Amino acid sequence: MNLALLFDGDFISADRVLLRGRRLEHLNGILKASTGDRIPVGRVNGAMGFGEVLKLSDQEAELQVTLAHSPPPALPLTLILAMPRPKMFRRVLQTCASLGVKDIWLINSYKVEKSFWQTPWLSEDNLRENLTLGLEQAKDTVMPQVHIRKLFKPFVEDELPTLLADKRALVAHPGMTTPCPTHLDGPAALCIGPEGGFTDYEVAKLGEAGCQGVHLGRRILRVETAVPVLVSRLFDACQ
Amino acid sequence: MNLALLFDGDFISADRVLLRGRRLEHLNGILKASTGDRIPVGRVNGAMGFGEVLKLSDQEAELQVTLAHSPPPALPLTLILAMPRPKMFRRVLQTCASLGVKDIWLINSYKVEKSFWQTPWLSEDNLRENLTLGLEQAKDTVMPQVHIRKLFKPFVEDELPTLLADKRALVAHPGMTTPCPTHLDGPAALCIGPEGGFTDYEVAKLGEAGCQGVHLGRRILRVETAVPVLVSRLFDACQ
């Protein structure tokens, strides 16, 4: 936690918050904070700054917050992911949030096992918790939006074309002839398949919706590795 | 497992192997292979091809192997990592192996907790097992070399300058003024710090040894995310 993300419910006045639970444990256990210390904070979807510790106990911490600067820029990316295996999914969410991805669509695909959709990590609270961990890691405040689409065909036929309007649209898929582009300077949409990849039918449907098939070299990467590799290739993290 | 990596001990003749354990379970449980099926295999540090299943039981599988093509090119990268927290370490190893990193130096740093060096994941068998998983994911055969250096100063003063000879040498560190370069066309060495970063003293020592400090933008990434982001930035995966 390189920043404590503050939610509306944490505020007891315009510039004071009470922290409990995980963030309090971090203050006490990891940061070993004391009264008077300043710790980095940010208000969800708002500005970043510091919180000065006014009171601290095992039950709660009271901080006076000063929020003065903007979060880092978001990536102009719509990420469309075949729903990952649950044990990877949490990490993928955290990774996306830490990289600055703000628009995530979880879609079905032939090789997505039905059971993946049953994972408790898809609950609203758990999505928010894992995205929060990613934002706190990266020092960002802007909560990504997650959209869940459990039917492939209606999504690709009815929603995807609109979603892709005015974007460079790509589907990363082994065996394509075009290398994945680098250093885009405008908005993009990127589809990433499940373990084992999209089927030929699915790649064709994504193509009909406007996605260009691109490859990423000979190596087959797990989704949790492919996401940072592709994002780093498409956009310049240093800008 | 997109390829079964074969070791010398698996061979019962020049072109036949017996598989047991994890690889056999994968054949039976995931691939649901039958006699006559061909599965992708590669010989450690050697060629890749396929293995035709001759016999298959719950105890073992016998395959006739045909090895005809080369593994994907290695990255010309020496990766120097402050020893990661054990729960991340396994994944970092697998990620490095799947990305094509072949030369990994695990070094000490002020913020590396002493207990990290006690992890069983550093045993020779466990290193090989996790690197194997990464190679099998990416369809590669060339086993990375892992070097362990538990003392920072002797490593940086006595070994690092030689290691960096003829390489573009970088240390990724937040707050540097130079952005991390992209698309290198020659060998490189990259140092990545622990959670919380290298200390100023350590960055200065790495600088004396020849490493240029570079940043990766405002976001602070976990090592398991920073590795693929940096590797993807430094080298073109599609080449």
Side-chain angles (χ1 to χ4, degrees), chain A residues 39 44 73 75 79 153 164-165 178-179 185 189 194 196 215 234:
Chain A
I39 63 154
V44 66
L75 289 180
L79 185 63
K153 200 164 166 237
L164 301 185
T178 309
D185 56 4
H215 76 84
L234 292 177

Side-chain angles (χ1 to χ4, degrees), chain B residues 81-149:
Chain B
L81 273 183
M83 178 62 197
R85 188 173 288 279
K87 71 172 188 175
M88 287 195 185
F89 177 54
R90 272 184 71 214
R91 286 205 300 274
V92 172
L93 276 180
Q94 293 180 25
T95 300
C96 287
S98 69
L99 290 168
V101 180
K102 300 302 180 191
D103 192 28
I104 302 168
W105 296 71
L106 300 169
I107 68 168
N108 200 28
S109 156
Y110 184 75
K111 291 179 191 161
V112 168
E113 294 174 28
K114 277 209 174 67
S115 62
F116 294 1
W117 293 110
Q118 307 307 320
T119 177
W121 299 118
L122 277 170
S123 77
E124 203 167 323
D125 282 355
N126 281 329
L127 288 173
R128 190 175 80 154
E129 181 70 7
N130 281 294
L131 294 168
T132 297
L133 291 172
L135 294 175
E136 292 188 336
Q137 166 65 40
K139 292 187 140 182
D140 189 359
T141 67
V142 182
M143 188 63 67
Q145 299 298 308
V146 177
H147 313 268
I148 297 171
R149 293 296 182 270

Side-chain angles (χ1 to χ4, degrees), chain A residues 15-17 41 50-54 62-66:
Chain A
D15 67 348
R16 294 210 182 176
V17 293
V41 299
F50 63 87
E52 185 176 327
V53 180
L54 301 178
E62 186 174 337
L63 274 63
Q64 176 155 355
V65 303
T66 306

